[in-house]
């Protein structure tokens, strides 16, 4: 009986390896193997063997594979062609605090398509993986953005990418998620399934326009606001979003409605009887709720608050979509819906487009150039994180310390200080050095910073170096500030601004952080070249509060949540007003 069971099991195993293999499976698992060797095999990690060349060389053979056993033979031949001499020593285990949530080798250890021999060879590569600090496909320094040695493969922008480059793009994105993106475990969708769904789509893609659409949808799965800027890489942005025209009014987008917040071309608004505060519930028959959800599948952001914030950007012009500039808008008026036809402003409307240009320019005001402390509401010091370099821009180098001491001493004499973090810092030294020197204490450990662990790519090690968080040689004044401190944040609080906010929260332990959810993309940004001359950015290091709370996606800590609402959206600056109110309270 036992012999019969053994023979049956052997037959089933043999049968499984003779079964026809799907195009999706063979591509998916080859991409997994290719990235595994790219980051672990010494020959590729040193750059002795070029990973892209290896991909191009093997892709035609992969496409000819028709069954499971052929795929197994293909993988074994692929692995055995790699230089064995590179596998010379056993890897040493990683030490210190590690982030290992993304680690996953089930795809080959329990994978149905890998024979015992193939699994053994993959395990040997991992056991003897490359561990030197200089890796051909990893930046030498953890804070460097550019991922080295990723080919750009620039192609005329009007032409579709060749099949091999399209598939290489998909494979590179898979590698970025598995080995370079610390927040894979926070993604809404399983990227393995995303990749599998896109194999046939990338293979059959017939135009550059369709290629960019696919890239948008795939990269949106990163759920990372650093990746949002990919839309700036698009050659066909207008065609994809049908953003050929601008509305004659400014607006703010919510989950299921759009509020008119300002009139830009008053004449057009008056003709259509559109006023500030009006509520739009549908555009060209599509509900705002459905439209926002559809765009969520094309735009990479860390959270819903940031999605609404980005869709409300008049200059980005993503929410109102029409090929000819004509719109049918549904307004909610007096408990009923009113449909209004409206022609938006196009480039041909030279007179009206000037109104648009003036409005856009007004939303990007010139930065202050004076070196004076800004005082608001009489006796409150105000710092805009995007306007701090002006304090020292024209100061002689040997007088910078004196200048900053003067500015911060004056702030320290006021009853309150507001740090407005709703922008990107224009000078890292303002918080990291001078605010800490005046008001803080050492050690100033306000975060846990995890970087790529080069002992095992795909995991992340805690950076315990003091100078990553503060200058240990800084002479601290240790001024005991008795006034109130308010920190203002919103989705414009991104990356370095979130990092600085965490620092300020630690320096001013009794401060109050108010506002909306921040961008949720703390940590150093990485940039990978993708075929076609594109650049794809994503968060490459992981930032946590010391208590283990993530800053990615959720954003920085908020003491008093004050989200933008249809009720407060028309207020000039409801968050700054609240900050002043908090400081003036007795």
């Amino acid at each position: 009986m036992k012999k019969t069971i053994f023979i049956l099991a052997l037959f089933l195993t043999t049968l499984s390896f003779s079964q026809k293999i799907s195009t999706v499976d063979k591509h998916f698992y080859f991409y997994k193997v290719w990235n595994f060797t790219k980051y672990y095999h010494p020959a590729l990690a040193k750059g002795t063997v070029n990973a892209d060349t290896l991909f191009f060389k093997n892709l035609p053979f992969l496409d000819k594979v028709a069954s499971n056993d052929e795929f197994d033979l293909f993988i074994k031949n692929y692995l055995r062609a790699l230089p064995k001499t590179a596998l010379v020593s056993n890897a040493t285990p990683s030490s210190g605090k590690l982030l290992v949530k993304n680690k996953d080798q089930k795809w080959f250890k329990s994978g149905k398509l890998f024979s015992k021999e193939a699994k053994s060879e993959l395990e040997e590569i991992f056991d003897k993986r490359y561990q030197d600090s200089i890796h051909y496909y990893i930046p030498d320094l953890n804070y460097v953005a550019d991922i080295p040695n990723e080919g750009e493969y620039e192609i005329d922008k009007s032409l579709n990418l060749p099949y091999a480059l399209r598939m290489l793009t998909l494979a590179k994105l898979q590698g970025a998620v598995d080995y370079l993106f610390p927040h894979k475990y926070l993604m809404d969708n399983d990227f393995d399934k995303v990749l599998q769904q896109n194999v046939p789509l990338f293979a059959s893609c017939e135009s550059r326009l369709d290629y960019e659409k696919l890239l948008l949808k795939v990269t949106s799965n990163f759920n990372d606001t650093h990746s949002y800027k990919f839309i700036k890489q698009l050659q066909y942005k207008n065609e994809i979003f049908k953003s050929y025209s601008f509305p004659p009014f400014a607006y703010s987008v919510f989950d299921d409605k759009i509020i008119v917040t300002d009139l830009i071309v008053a004449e057009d608004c008056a003709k259509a009887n559109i006023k500030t505060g009006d509520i739009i519930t549908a555009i060209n028959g599509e509900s705002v709720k459905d439209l926002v959800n559809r765009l969520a599948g094309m735009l990479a952001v860390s959270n819903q608050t940031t999605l609404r914030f980005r869709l409300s950007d008049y200059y980005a012009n993503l929410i109102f979509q029409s090929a000819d500039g004509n719109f049918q808008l549904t307004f909610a008026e007096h408990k009923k819906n009113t449909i209004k036809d409206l022609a938006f402003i196009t480039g041909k409307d030279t007179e009206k487009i000037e109104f648009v240009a003036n409005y856009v320019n007004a939303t990007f005001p010139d930065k202050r150039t004076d070196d004076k402390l800004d005082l608001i509401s009489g006796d409150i010091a105000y710092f805009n994180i995007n306007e701090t370099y002006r304090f020292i821009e024209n100061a002689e180098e040997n007088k910078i310390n004196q200048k900053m001491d003067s500015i911060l001493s004056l702030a320290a004499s006021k009853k309150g200080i507001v740090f407005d973090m709703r922008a990107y810092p224009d000078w890292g030294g303002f918080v990291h050095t001078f605010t800490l020197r005046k008001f803080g204490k050492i050690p100033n450990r306000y975060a846990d910073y995890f970087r790529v662990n080069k002992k095992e790519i795909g995991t992340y090690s805690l950076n315990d170096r003091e100078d990553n968080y503060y200058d240990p040689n800084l002479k601290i004044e240790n001024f005991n500030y008795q006034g109130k401190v308010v920190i203002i944040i919103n989705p414009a609080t991104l990356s370095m601004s979130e990092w600085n906010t965490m620092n300020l929260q630690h320096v001013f332990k009794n401060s109050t952080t108010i506002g909306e959810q921040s961008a949720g993309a703390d940590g150093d940004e990485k940039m990978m070249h993708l075929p076609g001359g594109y650049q794809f950015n994503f968060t490459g290091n992981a930032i946590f509060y010391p208590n283990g709370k993530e800053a990615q996606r959720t954003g920085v800590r908020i003491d008093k949540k004050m989200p933008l609402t249809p009720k407060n959206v028309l207020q000039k600056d409801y968050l700054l007003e609240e900050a002043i109110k908090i400081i003036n309270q007795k």
Side-chain angles (χ1 to χ4, degrees):
M1 182 65 178
K2 290 183 178 179
K3 184 176 180 180
T4 303
I5 294 173
F6 173 78
I7 293 173
L8 179 61
L10 182 62
F11 171 75
L12 291 174
T13 302
T14 305
L15 181 64
S16 70
F17 267 81
S18 63
Q19 289 177 345
K20 183 178 179 180
I21 188 171
S22 71
T23 299
V24 169
D25 277 351
K26 67 183 183 181
H27 276 264
F28 170 73
Y29 285 106
F30 171 60
Y31 297 173
K32 283 285 196 178
V33 170
W34 177 73
N35 279 301
F36 186 88
T37 56
K38 177 179 179 178
Y39 292 104
Y40 288 148
H41 196 287
L44 282 76
K46 288 180 179 179
T48 306
V49 174
N50 184 275
D52 289 4
T53 301
L54 203 58
F55 184 90
F56 295 139
K57 179 181 178 180
N58 283 275
L59 188 61
F61 297 103
L62 175 72
D63 286 332
K64 293 178 182 178
V65 167
S67 64
N68 290 357
D69 57 343
E70 287 181 13
F71 180 77
D72 179 63
L73 180 60
F74 166 78
I75 290 298
K76 286 189 287 192
N77 287 338
Y78 170 85
L79 295 175
R80 289 168 185 171
L82 298 175
K84 277 285 186 180
T85 54
L87 301 172
V88 294
S89 61
N90 293 329
T92 57
S94 304
S95 59
K97 190 174 182 180
L98 298 173
L99 178 62
V100 297
K101 291 183 178 181
N102 292 340
K103 185 175 178 178
D104 175 25
Q105 294 183 355
K106 292 179 182 177
W107 59 270
F108 77 85
K109 288 187 175 180
S110 60
K112 62 181 180 179
L113 294 179
F114 295 94
S115 65
K116 182 178 180 181
E117 293 82 3
K119 291 177 182 178
S120 178
E121 291 189 36
L122 288 168
E123 287 174 352
E124 182 185 15
I125 290 173
F126 179 76
D127 291 340
K128 297 180 179 179
R129 65 189 177 276
Y130 183 79
Q131 291 192 316
D132 288 358
S133 60
I134 305 299
H135 192 294
Y136 195 66
Y137 296 108
I138 305 289
D140 293 347
L141 301 173
N142 55 281
Y143 52 82
V144 170
D146 289 3
I147 297 172
N149 301 306
E150 296 287 354
E152 298 183 40
Y153 303 104
E154 293 197 27
I155 305 291
D156 186 292
K157 303 301 183 183
S158 64
L159 300 177
N160 190 21
L161 269 68
Y163 164 75
L165 286 181
R166 299 198 303 270
M167 307 318 282
L168 178 64
T169 297
L170 206 51
K172 284 180 181 286
L173 288 170
Q174 178 70 67
V177 169
D178 283 350
Y179 297 98
L180 304 177
F181 186 49
H183 304 294
K184 173 185 176 181
Y185 71 97
L186 291 176
M187 296 167 73
D188 287 340
N189 298 318
D190 182 343
F191 198 78
D192 284 353
K193 293 180 180 178
V194 171
L195 185 131
Q196 291 168 323
Q197 292 164 359
N198 277 277
V199 164
L201 300 178
F202 272 69
S204 62
C205 176
E206 295 183 348
S207 70
R208 189 62 163 261
L209 172 62
D210 289 337
Y211 176 69
E212 292 191 341
K213 287 180 179 178
L214 289 173
L215 279 176
L216 275 177
K217 291 178 180 179
V218 171
T219 56
S220 72
N221 286 279
F222 276 65
N223 303 126
D224 181 17
T225 306
H226 271 139
S227 303
Y228 171 81
K229 65 176 64 174
F230 185 70
I231 62 171
K232 297 180 180 179
Q233 302 284 314
L234 302 177
Q235 297 299 311
Y236 292 92
K237 173 180 175 289
N238 287 341
E239 289 82 355
I240 292 171
F241 293 99
K242 297 182 175 61
S243 53
Y244 300 104
S245 57
F246 287 87
F249 52 82
Y251 53 87
S252 187
V253 177
F254 294 88
D255 288 335
D256 59 355
K257 63 178 68 72
I258 298 172
I259 308 295
V260 176
T261 58
D262 199 1
L263 306 182
I264 297 173
V265 183
E267 180 182 359
D268 286 4
C269 293
K271 286 180 180 179
N273 192 27
I274 295 173
K275 307 175 294 299
T276 57
D278 282 356
I279 300 172
I280 300 170
T281 58
I283 301 172
N284 294 333
E286 183 177 15
S287 71
V288 171
K289 182 178 180 180
D290 288 346
L291 178 55
V292 169
N293 289 337
R294 176 163 63 83
L295 289 172
M298 302 175 71
L299 302 173
V301 288
S302 299
N303 50 60
Q304 186 73 6
T305 306
T306 302
L307 174 65
R308 294 193 298 264
F309 177 81
R310 297 290 181 170
L311 291 177
S312 300
D313 183 349
Y314 185 87
Y315 181 71
N317 194 26
L318 299 175
I319 193 76
F320 289 99
Q321 303 181 2
S322 170
D324 60 6
N326 293 314
F327 286 83
Q328 189 179 75
L329 305 180
T330 303
F331 288 81
E333 295 179 339
H334 310 297
K335 298 183 179 181
K336 66 178 183 178
N337 290 332
T338 302
I339 297 177
K340 300 179 182 181
D341 294 322
L342 189 64
F344 278 22
I345 303 155
T346 68
K348 297 178 182 179
D349 303 321
T350 54
E351 190 173 316
K352 294 178 181 178
I353 205 71
E354 188 174 347
F355 286 93
V356 172
N358 290 337
Y359 175 79
V360 171
N361 290 333
T363 62
F364 298 101
D366 293 336
K367 292 178 65 174
R368 289 180 58 175
T369 57
D370 65 279
D371 62 355
K372 306 300 180 185
L373 176 66
D374 193 5
L375 298 177
I376 59 176
S377 190
D379 200 32
I380 299 174
Y382 173 83
F383 293 104
N384 180 339
I385 197 62
N386 188 240
E387 293 184 340
T388 60
Y389 187 65
R390 64 188 175 87
F391 295 135
I392 64 163
E393 186 171 12
N394 298 314
E396 296 177 19
E397 187 173 348
N398 62 347
K399 293 184 178 179
I400 289 177
N401 287 343
Q402 179 182 346
K403 177 61 179 178
M404 288 309 301
D405 182 65
S406 173
I407 291 290
L408 292 171
S409 292
L410 180 58
S413 70
K414 304 304 174 182
K415 68 178 180 181
I417 302 175
V418 173
F419 292 97
D420 195 335
M421 309 302 290
R422 295 174 293 178
Y424 197 85
D426 65 346
W427 175 36
F430 174 70
V431 174
H432 181 79
T433 301
F434 291 99
T435 303
L436 173 62
R437 186 180 71 175
K438 181 68 179 180
F439 299 102
K441 296 179 180 180
I442 286 182
N444 185 47
R445 184 62 176 271
Y446 52 91
D448 280 352
Y449 173 108
F450 287 83
R451 59 190 173 185
V452 170
N453 173 26
K454 292 186 178 180
K455 293 288 185 182
E456 185 181 341
I457 309 298
T459 66
Y460 301 83
S461 58
L462 178 65
N463 187 349
D464 259 337
R465 284 183 50 173
E466 293 176 325
D467 58 2
N468 191 67
Y469 308 95
Y470 59 92
D471 180 357
N473 299 315
L474 199 63
K475 295 182 179 178
I476 298 297
E477 185 175 335
N478 199 18
F479 182 86
N480 185 20
Y481 182 62
Q482 297 297 309
K484 293 181 181 179
V485 175
V486 179
I487 303 168
I488 306 176
I489 65 168
N490 78 349
T493 308
L494 166 68
S495 193
M496 179 60 74
S497 189
E498 293 179 289
W499 176 255
N500 281 354
T501 297
M502 295 171 71
N503 195 342
L504 289 170
Q505 289 174 334
H506 189 265
V507 169
F508 299 98
K509 292 182 173 58
N510 294 322
S511 63
T512 302
T513 300
I514 67 170
E516 297 182 272
Q517 187 176 24
S518 65
D522 207 343
D524 295 313
E525 188 174 9
K526 300 299 176 190
M527 188 280 291
M528 173 180 277
H529 288 290
L530 294 178
Y534 298 92
Q535 297 175 357
F536 177 63
N537 297 64
F538 56 92
T539 304
N541 295 311
I543 305 298
F544 295 79
Y545 280 97
N547 64 3
K549 183 181 181 298
E550 291 141 341
Q552 184 74 10
R553 298 207 67 180
T554 57
V556 297
R557 190 192 77 235
I558 304 177
D559 299 310
K560 186 172 183 178
K561 294 180 181 180
M562 298 186 64
L564 188 70
T565 67
K567 290 185 178 180
N568 62 30
V569 69
L570 297 181
Q571 290 180 234
K572 185 177 181 181
D573 191 340
Y574 75 101
L575 291 177
L576 183 57
E577 290 176 3
E578 180 64 21
I580 294 171
K581 180 181 176 182
I582 290 172
I583 290 173
N584 285 330
Q585 286 175 343
K586 294 183 179 180

